[in-house]
């Protein structure tokens, strides 16, 4: 373990951002931020006008955003001194999280039909991407500890797990909303036969604010619970593999696979929260509302592991890559 | 045990049993590890947020008194190696073992036997417009083509088919738990038999490893730097640093290069890592032109090291090395000197003799007063190396692979057991279906619906001549 940090890292480096090449990759990045914002808006439209064309437009914008984000990452990779991997700072790594979140959204969307989660997933993703802009360090050389093929494997896998948990967070929120809606309808239906008829027919909006009418297109809460479970399971597998590859990397770079470094321990805490989620989910009585809250808590722990460590606890961490 | 043996029918025996099974029940309840996991992650978070292994003053400096008292008294200064923390992991392991034997291993798919299919959460029935045997053979080939393993039985005139899919995935939980146990074993072995340590050696120096008959000499150290533009001007970052080392043990000696991310591994599996580096400054003290031996200061100087000039109240304080050998010392915005030079101060009666630090190029001398002069000698590089021997690492690696494999098996695949009962219904047949999974019904609901629809569509309309005949008669 390096006793003294022989090099230091610098925050936003305005000089470095003025180069022609930096402007190019930042341009594509900004385009992605804008495209995702449009996509989120059109996905909201899809909530209210459930037709193929709106969905098609939303997906087209999403894919266009993904392409320009991919271009931005690729160009930065190309321009970096020594063509080093572009996710060595918070800007690059948040960009990878967003990239994975969109890729996974498209994948889960096709497999589990979760297009209804589009507005939330795109809004969170775009928020991350827009926030990350402030952490752009420009084109800098890579510090020795990052000069390893593990930068190529460990980091994207961990970031992919964060992306999966982000989607699980979105579906868990939708679960709670849908469950609230279902309970409300059941309550009204329980009151009188007339109300029950009304609930089944036009009057479904009874007592539900108009802006939540889209909840009708969201699948039943029980389905959402399973969707969250499957997404989180993917995330937990990735997090497990990512932590282990990180251990292997630490073993090669620092001489010990586990240092009790803040990043490692924070990831371990998140891992334990999601491991308990998966164990709880084997019990029918814990599926549903409690599992959804659990998933939300898990995602908060991921945010702590990510931002909390990189920004707040950074000075004690070997992982303070900003 | 002797107590029990002495009282074969004694009350003691009966009292002990429920307690033991009580404990085992508690340990094998899935909620138990959940609670432990939660406490574990809370403890881990505390250890993450509170700086670890600092002297008490550190906490009193950093936190309000009340918080610092809490941290110090509760020993939150060293969470991860504390007995309660390790106990949590041990508790998890014990509970996992109990759980694995009591719940995971006995967990089987239900036996192949006739069951009331209507009672299943997932069940459906379709009418076939063909006879029983045609429907039965179509059910078999349909299920096989959908990756089910199918076993057939005739029970009370009905054709029963018991099918399963991804049954092997039920072992995923077992595999994952075994993986965790193997990791724990590897960590334990490393803790029991392994060792590690750190060395700081200067170029030309030889150091011995206390735990093994191994010596190493630093033959050379080199660092490459790259300029980085920052808001405050250009600074230099080490882009690569490398030690050239000769290892010698009773078997002979061997040359090796050690770089960050590229440790050297000896034949006894001791790993050597490049951890840090430094450049020590070297100054020669001259009195009236001839060198003065200064015990204790003859070697390398680090920042703030002081040399007291004998017989005077003068002190030389070493600052830093500036120049190409270690440009990372040059403050941002200051031009990098073309040749190495030292920044130093000379104090007289604790008062600096110059307003700015003296910049002394290598090979040159500066007058320090009272007949003394200070000459700059080339700096000596030193290398910080970490070494480690861990006999458990192979087990940890193996456990990781097993754990991930178990996770993939347990979480990605849904083991399904399917029942199909084909009964004859006059000239036609009816197919009743039901399914159960190890992960609840909802997870398979859509697939089950699709499966039933596809099966229905695939059933032959009117296949056997007998059935056709019956149909014709029915409409006659
Ligand atoms: C500490 C590391 C542990 C890991 C990595 C781990 C991993 C897993 C995984 C991946 C599953 C499958 C979950 C699913 O299908 O959704 C599982 C299930 C299970 N775990 Fe663990 N587990 C651990 C600890 C424990 C402990 C301490 C217990 C003790 C009570 C336990 C009891 C169970 C049981 C009973 C199941 C299966 C429940 C079922 O399928 O009905 N696990 N475990």
């Amino acid at each position: 373990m390096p006793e003294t940090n022989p090099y230091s890292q610098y925050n936003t480096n305005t000089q470095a951002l003025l180069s022609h090449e930096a402007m190019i990759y930042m341009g594509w990045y900004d385009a992605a931020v804008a495209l995702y914002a449009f996509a989120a808006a059109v996905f909201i439209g899809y909530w209210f006008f459930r037709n193929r064309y709106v969905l098609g437009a939303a997906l087209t914008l999403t894919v266009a955003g993904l392409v320009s984000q991919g271009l931005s990452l690729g160009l930065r990779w190309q321009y970096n001194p020594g063509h080093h991997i572009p996710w060595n700072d918070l800007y690059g790594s948040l960009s990878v999280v967003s990239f994975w979140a969109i890729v996974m959204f498209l994948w889960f969307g096709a497999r589990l039909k979760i297009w209804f989660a589009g507005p939330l997933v795109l809004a969170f993703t775009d928020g991350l991407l827009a926030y990350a802009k402030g952490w752009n360090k420009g084109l800098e050389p890579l510090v020795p500890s990052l000069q390893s093929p593990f930068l190529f494997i460990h980091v994207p896998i961990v970031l992919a797990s964060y992306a999966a948990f982000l989607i699980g967070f979105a579906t868990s929120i939708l679960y709670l909303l849908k469950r609230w809606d279902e309970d409300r309808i059941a309550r009204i239906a329980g009151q009188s036969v007339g109300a029950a008829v009304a609930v089944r027919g036009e009057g479904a909006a009874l007592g539900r604010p108009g802006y939540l009418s889209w909840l009708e297109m969201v699948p039943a809460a029980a389905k959402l619970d399973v969707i969250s479970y499957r997404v989180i399971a993917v995330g937990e597998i990735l997090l497990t593999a990512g932590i282990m590859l990180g251990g292997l990397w630490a073993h090669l770079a620092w001489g010990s696979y586990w240092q009790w470094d803040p990043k490692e321990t924070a990831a371990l805490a998140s891992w334990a929260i999601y491991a308990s989620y998966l164990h709880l989910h084997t019990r029918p009585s814990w599926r549903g509302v409690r599992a959804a809250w659990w998933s939300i808590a898990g995602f908060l722990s991921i945010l702590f592991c990510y931002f909390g460590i990189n920004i707040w606890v950074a000075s004690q961490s070997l992982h303070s890559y900003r | 045990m002797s107590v029990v043996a002495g009282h074969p029918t004694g009350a003691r025996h009966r009292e002990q049993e429920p307690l033991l099974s009580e404990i085992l029940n508690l340990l094998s309840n899935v909620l138990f590890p959940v609670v432990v996991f939660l406490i574990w992650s809370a403890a881990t978070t505390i250890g993450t947020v509170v700086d670890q292994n600092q002297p008490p003053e550190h906490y009193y400096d950093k936190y309000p008194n009340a918080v610092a008292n809490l941290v110090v008294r509760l020993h939150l200064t060293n969470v991860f190696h504390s007995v309660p923390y390790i106990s949590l992991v041990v508790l998890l392991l014990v509970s996992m073992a109990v759980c694995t034997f009591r719940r995971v291993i006995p967990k089987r798919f239900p036996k192949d036997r006739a069951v009331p299919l209507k009672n299943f959460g997932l069940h459906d029935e379709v009418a076939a417009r063909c006879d029983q045997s045609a429907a039965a053979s179509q059910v078999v080939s349909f299920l096989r083509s959908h990756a089910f393993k199918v076993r057939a039985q005739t029970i009370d005139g009905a054709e029963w088919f018991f099918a399963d899919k991804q049954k092997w995935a039920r072992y995923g939980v077992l595999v994952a738990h075994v993986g965790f146990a193997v990791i724990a074993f590897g960590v334990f072995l490393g803790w029991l038999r392994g060792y590690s340590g750190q060395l700081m050696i200067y170029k030309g120096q030889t150091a011995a490893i206390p735990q093994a008959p191994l010596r190493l000499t630093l033959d050379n150290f080199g660092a490459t730097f790259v300029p980085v533009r920052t808001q405050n001007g250009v600074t230099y970052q080490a882009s690569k640093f490398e030690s050239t080392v000769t290892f010698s043990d009773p078997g002979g000696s061997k040359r090796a290069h050690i770089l960050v991310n590229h440790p050297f591994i000896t034949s006894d599996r001791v790993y050597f890592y490049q951890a840090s580096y430094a450049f020590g400054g070297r100054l020669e003290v001259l009195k009236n032109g001839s060198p003065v031996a200064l015990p204790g200061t003859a070697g390398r100087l680090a920042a703030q090291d002081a040399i007291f000039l004998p017989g005077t109240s003068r002190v030389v304080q070493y600052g830093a090395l500036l120049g190409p050998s270690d440009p990372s010392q040059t403050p941002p915005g200051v031009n990098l000197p073309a040749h190495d030079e030292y920044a130093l101060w000379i104090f007289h009666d604790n008062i600096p003799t110059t307003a700015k630090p003296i910049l002394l190029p290598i090979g040159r001398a500066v007058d320090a007063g009272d007949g003394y002069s200070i000459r700059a000698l080339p700096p000596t590089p030193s290398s910080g190396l970490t070494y480690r021997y861990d006999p458990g690492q192979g087990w940890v690696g193996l456990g990781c692979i097993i754990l991930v494999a178990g996770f993939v098996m347990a979480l990605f695949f849904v083991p399904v057991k399917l029942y199909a009962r084909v009964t004859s219904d006059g000239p036609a047949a009816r197919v009743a279906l039901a399914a159960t999974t190890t992960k609840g019904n909802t997870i398979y609901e859509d697939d089950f619906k699709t499966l039933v629809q596809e099966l229905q569509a695939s059933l032959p309309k009117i296949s056997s001549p007998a059935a056709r005949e019956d149909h014709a008669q029915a409409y006659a």
Side-chain angles (χ1 to χ4, degrees), chain A residues 83-136:
Chain A
H83 306 305
H84 73 71
I85 292 167
W87 44 82
N88 59 319
D89 58 2
L90 197 52
Y91 172 79
S93 82
L94 272 165
S95 179
V96 174
V97 175
S98 314
F99 189 86
W100 279 134
I102 298 298
V103 169
M104 285 192 188
F105 172 62
L106 295 174
W107 185 59
F108 286 125
R111 261 183 71 112
L112 304 175
K113 297 281 165 297
I114 59 162
W115 302 128
F116 56 85
L120 296 191
V121 173
L122 274 137
F124 295 153
T125 304
D126 208 33
L128 287 184
L129 209 56
Y131 168 73
K133 281 188 66 166
W135 294 98
N136 183 6

Side-chain angles (χ1 to χ4, degrees), chain A residues 9-149:
Chain A
Q9 291 168 339
Y10 300 94
N11 268 334
T12 309
N13 169 359
T14 43
Q15 287 293 314
L17 302 183
L18 296 177
S19 82
H20 177 60
E21 289 168 336
M23 300 256 184
I24 296 178
Y25 79 73
M26 285 159 63
W28 284 107
Y29 187 96
D30 291 346
V33 173
L35 284 164
Y36 289 152
F38 287 133
V42 179
F43 265 117
I44 292 177
Y46 176 59
W47 271 352
F48 296 97
F49 310 97
R50 280 144 236 168
N51 80 50
R52 285 191 299 133
Y53 300 105
V54 180
L55 178 61
L59 286 175
T60 308
L61 284 166
T62 308
V63 171
L66 192 68
V67 169
S68 56
Q69 209 198 334
L71 265 172
S72 172
L73 275 168
L75 286 170
R76 193 176 185 217
W77 200 330
Q78 177 64 28
Y79 297 148
N80 265 332
H83 306 305
H84 73 71
I85 292 167
W87 44 82
N88 59 319
D89 58 2
L90 197 52
Y91 172 79
S93 82
L94 272 165
S95 179
V96 174
V97 175
S98 314
F99 189 86
W100 279 134
I102 298 298
V103 169
M104 285 192 188
F105 172 62
L106 295 174
W107 185 59
F108 286 125
R111 261 183 71 112
L112 304 175
K113 297 281 165 297
I114 59 162
W115 302 128
F116 56 85
L120 296 191
V121 173
L122 274 137
F124 295 153
T125 304
D126 208 33
L128 287 184
L129 209 56
Y131 168 73
K133 281 188 66 166
W135 294 98
N136 183 6
K137 282 200 302 181
L139 304 167
E140 283 192 355
L142 203 55
V143 297
S145 66
L146 293 181
Q147 292 167 9
S148 158

Side-chain angles (χ1 to χ4, degrees), chain B residues 226-436:
Chain B
V226 286
V228 173
R229 276 191 295 163
T230 73
Q231 269 165 316
N232 304 324
V234 174
T235 62
Y236 293 83
Q237 256 182 26
S239 66
K240 178 181 169 187
F241 42 106
E242 172 174 7
S243 300
T244 309
V245 172
T246 304
F247 285 96
S248 47
D249 61 15
S253 65
K254 182 166 185 175
R255 203 92 192 278
H257 298 276
I258 307 175
L259 287 91
V260 178
N261 275 315
H262 299 275
F264 176 76
I265 308 164
T266 69
S267 52
D268 292 330
R269 305 208 65 74
V270 184
Y271 284 61
F272 281 86
Y273 304 90
Q274 181 70 59
S276 62
Y277 72 84
F279 281 86
R282 280 199 307 142
L283 295 174
E284 190 179 30
V285 179
L286 303 161
K287 173 106 195 231
N288 301 324
S290 46
V292 182
L294 296 168
T297 55
R300 284 73 38 167
L301 297 163
Q304 317 305 327
D305 279 355
I307 301 171
F308 296 86
L309 301 180
T312 70
S313 56
R314 290 173 186 268
V315 176
V316 179
Q317 190 184 47
Y318 175 75
L321 164 69
L322 309 175
S325 286
D326 188 4
S328 68
Q329 302 290 315
T330 308
V334 174
N335 283 335
L336 184 70
H339 302 286
D340 285 346
E341 59 188 32
Y342 296 130
L344 46 88
W345 295 90
I346 296 172
F347 290 86
H348 187 199
D349 287 336
N350 288 331
I351 298 164
T353 53
T354 48
K356 287 186 173 179
I358 299 165
L359 297 177
L360 183 61
I362 305 295
R364 298 275 195 77
V366 62
D367 182 8
D370 291 338
Y372 281 101
S373 61
I374 307 295
R375 201 155 65 121
L377 302 178
T380 320
S382 69
S383 178
L385 298 172
T386 301
Y387 61 92
R388 179 180 189 83
Y389 169 68
D390 183 354
Q393 68 188 26
W395 291 100
V396 172
L398 181 69
C400 287
I401 294 171
I402 296 175
L403 178 58
V404 173
F407 261 9
V408 172
M409 283 169 72
L411 299 177
F412 233 55
F413 299 93
V414 183
V416 178
K417 167 129 186 175
L418 199 84
Y419 297 82
R421 185 190 58 209
V422 184
T423 45
S424 72
D425 182 14
R430 297 195 72 75
V431 184
L433 292 153
T436 135

Side-chain angles (χ1 to χ4, degrees), chain A residues 1-2 6 8 13 141 144-145 147-148 223 229-230 234 240 244 249 251-253 255 257 260 262 265 280 316, chain B residues 30-31 44 48 51 80 226 229 237-239 261 273 275 277 386 388 390 393 400 403 407 412 414 439 445-446:
Chain A
M1 169 171 165
S8 38
N13 169 359
S145 66
Q147 292 167 9
S148 158
K223 282 241 167 71
Y229 169 80
R230 305 199 98 172
V234 170
T240 312
M244 286 168 180
W249 186 5
H251 184 65
L252 291 178
Y257 37 65
W260 299 107
T265 58
L280 278 181
Q316 287 98 43
Chain B
V30 190
L31 293 183
T44 305
T48 307
D51 299 353
F80 301 120
V226 286
R229 276 191 295 163
Q237 256 182 26
S239 66
N261 275 315
Y273 304 90
Y277 72 84
T386 301
R388 179 180 189 83
D390 183 354
Q393 68 188 26
C400 287
L403 178 58
F407 261 9
F412 233 55
V414 183
K439 293 169 177 271
E445 209 172 273
D446 292 346

